Amino acid sequence: MTRAIGIDIGGTGIKGAVVDTETGELLTERIKLETPRGGKPDDIAAVVQEIYQQLNEAAPVGICVPSVVQNGTTKSAANISNEWIDFPAQQRFEQDLGQQVVVINDADAAGLAEMRFGAGKGRAGLVIMTTLGTGIGSAMFINGQLVPNSELGHIEIGGKDYEKVASYKAKERYQLSFDRWAKRLQRYYEQLEKLFTPDLFIVGGGISKSHDLFLPKIEIETEIIPAQFRNNSGIIGAAEQAFENQ
Ligand code: BGC
């Protein structure tokens, strides 16, 4: 059976669906519930359980979170409650759901979906996926293999944690035109290019649907392309990882 559940914990919504891990397609409607205010682990765990119950499917479960995840423990909290730092997330979800789960970083999950079914399919060498959203997430792949927990959104440029300067949220907060935002992104991708010499950048996040408004303005040597999935890549990648780990 190539079915798995993917649940994506985000800043505004928590989304889940059953995924066909062979094709990356969603096999059920996507359930989306609001992220509880404050984003505390207890409150989020309750919503995850609710989604799981609604999906009502006996299948492996993958959950992605906007945090570094090591051995099932969340280790950072850039845009979520500090209570996630050193929180035994996997253990907690397993207790609540009464079954094994896999917990991974949200950008890593999005990257897995792109590499398997989307813009990165069949691409060898070093591929860096970035997600432009509330923060900047990153996923690094070497010959298709994920190197987990890269946190390239927090690279400092000009003494600043750069996700605060160039995320989509920063664009909104500072009311930047696409031109001005692209200048900031230019600096960002130039820096990543200098540090890693990748073979490909994939740019994801909801705003990547408007890629033609900013990607062509970024002038770097490395090929840079939009992600193919918009809002479901976290769900698909988390499900994928759960299926492979079972
Ligand atoms: C977090 C990452 C996360 C990214 C996107 C960053 O602030 O540090 O772990 O992947 O936001 O949600």
Side-chain angles (χ1 to χ4, degrees):
M1 200 177 62
T2 58
R3 293 164 82 95
I5 293 173
I7 297 179
D8 181 356
I9 298 175
T12 53
I14 303 178
K15 302 170 283 194
V18 179
V19 176
D20 183 334
T21 54
E22 200 121 288
T23 63
E25 275 168 83
L26 302 199
L27 295 172
T28 60
E29 291 252 319
R30 192 179 72 164
I31 298 174
K32 183 172 179 184
L33 299 178
E34 250 176 57
T35 304
R37 220 167 239 285
K40 296 206 164 147
D42 279 344
D43 301 334
I44 288 188
V47 176
V48 167
Q49 194 170 10
E50 166 80 35
I51 292 176
Y52 176 73
Q53 280 164 355
Q54 283 191 31
L55 288 171
N56 191 25
E57 171 95 16
V61 176
I63 302 175
C64 69
V65 290
S67 167
V68 168
V69 185
Q70 194 174 35
N71 301 321
T73 297
T74 46
K75 313 274 291 182
S76 67
N79 294 300
I80 48 173
S81 155
N82 279 337
E83 287 185 20
W84 286 90
I85 298 173
D86 292 327
F87 180 73
Q90 183 187 347
Q91 197 189 324
R92 173 57 191 270
F93 293 134
E94 287 184 343
Q95 252 167 32
D96 287 356
L97 306 190
Q99 74 162 81
Q100 268 195 349
V101 309
V102 165
V103 184
I104 61 168
N105 172 264
D106 58 356
D108 284 350
L112 283 169
E114 290 299 328
M115 293 305 285
R116 184 82 206 270
F117 306 110
K121 198 172 163 188
R123 297 296 299 249
L126 176 63
V127 178
I128 299 182
M129 158 98 179
T130 53
T131 60
L132 305 175
T134 309
I136 297 181
S138 65
M140 290 178 66
F141 294 85
I142 186 76
N143 296 326
Q145 184 72 35
L146 174 67
V147 181
N149 291 315
S150 62
E151 283 284 322
L152 306 184
H154 298 294
I155 277 182
E156 281 190 20
I157 305 176
K160 288 192 183 132
D161 178 344
Y162 214 66
E163 80 167 15
K164 300 235 155 48
V165 176
S167 65
Y168 179 60
K169 187 174 167 192
K171 177 186 184 304
E172 300 241 286
R173 171 180 294 163
Y174 302 114
Q175 296 179 0
L176 303 174
S177 63
F178 276 101
D179 269 349
R180 289 190 57 207
W181 187 43
K183 291 215 170 76
R184 294 181 178 201
L185 291 173
Q186 170 76 31
R187 258 190 112 185
Y188 180 59
Y189 288 105
E190 253 173 27
Q191 183 73 357
L192 292 188
E193 183 174 63
K194 195 163 103 192
L195 292 174
F196 297 100
T197 320
D199 296 287
L200 177 68
F201 284 116
I202 302 174
V203 181
I207 190 61
S208 63
K209 69 170 177 294
S210 307
H211 57 88
D212 46 333
L213 298 178
F214 64 98
L215 275 194
K217 301 183 203 291
I218 300 172
E219 288 173 18
I220 50 176
E221 271 182 44
T222 312
E223 187 184 355
I224 181 164
I225 59 175
Q228 275 177 27
F229 294 104
R230 304 288 169 241
N231 295 317
N232 295 334
S233 56
I235 294 176
I236 297 164
E240 195 60 32
Q241 186 78 345
F243 185 76
E244 274 165 27
N245 273 44
Q246 72 184 325

